[in-house]
Amino acid sequence: GVDNIAAGRTAGSLMGRFLGNRPGPVAVLAGSMRVRDHGERLEGFLAAMSAISGARAILPVLEGQDDPEQAFTLIAECLASVPNLAGIYSLGAGNRGLLKALSDGGQDLCVIVHELTAETRGGLESGLVDAVLNQDAGHEVRSAIRVLRAKADGLPVIAAQERIRLDIFIKDNLPPAGPDEE
């Protein structure tokens, strides 16, 4: 899979650049901090945010269990209780609920999410989402098959071919919708 610490650092770097000197804290929406990739993404995000000049508060992580309804409730409550919220980093999969809360909330925030889906594509196109960090699921599957076959055949694995890259999508560079967008 993708290097999740690097993915989190990328999100933090983008958040810092997009927010600039705009004041206000940033919320983090996770599925569960017991999940390794979520923990690694958070680690990278916090490291990048702390390296940016000027302290910015990062609110306690909201754990929505990757459930759209829980994510909606958590984000709606956050929007209501933190009027000066500057941004949201969603490092999990509760983006349908996040987007519903954002469309109801009417606030101008910097929002960075993971995985290009029909929902996150719509968020980019409507301006609710600023950036989507995406890993190519098809590449991951093909890579797993190639690695298993190489191991079974006693052949070397070509590391450069199996490296899963992180794509950064903004409204201006969206690829055509694919069949893997749910």
Side-chain angles (χ1 to χ4, degrees):
V2 72
D3 178 342
N4 284 299
I5 294 174
R9 280 196 317 265
T10 302
S13 179
L14 289 172
M15 181 71 70
R17 289 173 184 269
F18 288 169
L19 289 177
N21 293 325
R22 178 180 172 177
V26 171
V28 176
L29 175 64
S32 170
M33 293 316 300
R34 289 185 259 167
V35 179
R36 180 176 160 188
D37 61 336
H38 291 196
E40 289 176 349
R41 288 175 182 177
L42 180 63
E43 177 186 339
F45 179 77
L46 294 175
M49 291 297 288
S50 69
I52 296 169
S53 63
R56 180 174 303 276
I58 307 297
L59 300 175
V61 175
L62 304 169
E63 293 184 72
Q65 307 307 314
D66 289 334
D67 175 69
E69 292 303 317
Q70 283 189 26
F72 169 78
T73 300
L74 289 169
I75 294 299
E77 289 171 357
C78 181
L79 293 172
S81 65
V82 186
N84 66 333
L85 188 67
I88 299 173
Y89 172 41
S90 175
L91 54 80
N95 293 322
R96 191 172 348 148
L98 165 69
L99 291 167
K100 183 177 183 313
L102 290 173
S103 65
D104 292 351
Q107 288 179 288
D108 179 29
L109 304 171
C110 175
V111 178
I112 298 173
V113 303
H114 282 266
E115 307 319 328
L116 186 60
T117 64
E119 286 84 15
T120 59
R121 174 184 290 279
L124 276 174
E125 291 171 340
S126 70
L128 288 175
V129 172
D130 294 281
V132 175
L133 306 180
N134 187 65
Q135 56 195 24
D136 184 345
H139 183 192
E140 289 176 316
V141 171
R142 290 185 301 275
S143 178
I145 292 168
R146 281 191 303 267
V147 168
L148 289 173
R149 179 152 187 191
K151 296 285 185 187
D153 293 346
L155 298 172
V157 173
I158 304 168
Q161 181 181 12
E162 307 314 333
R163 183 177 161 270
I164 308 298
R165 71 177 186 271
L166 183 68
D167 293 319
I168 302 170
F169 294 116
I170 60 174
K171 185 176 186 175
D172 302 310
N173 73 335
L174 272 172
D180 56 338
E181 291 180 33
E182 299 173 13

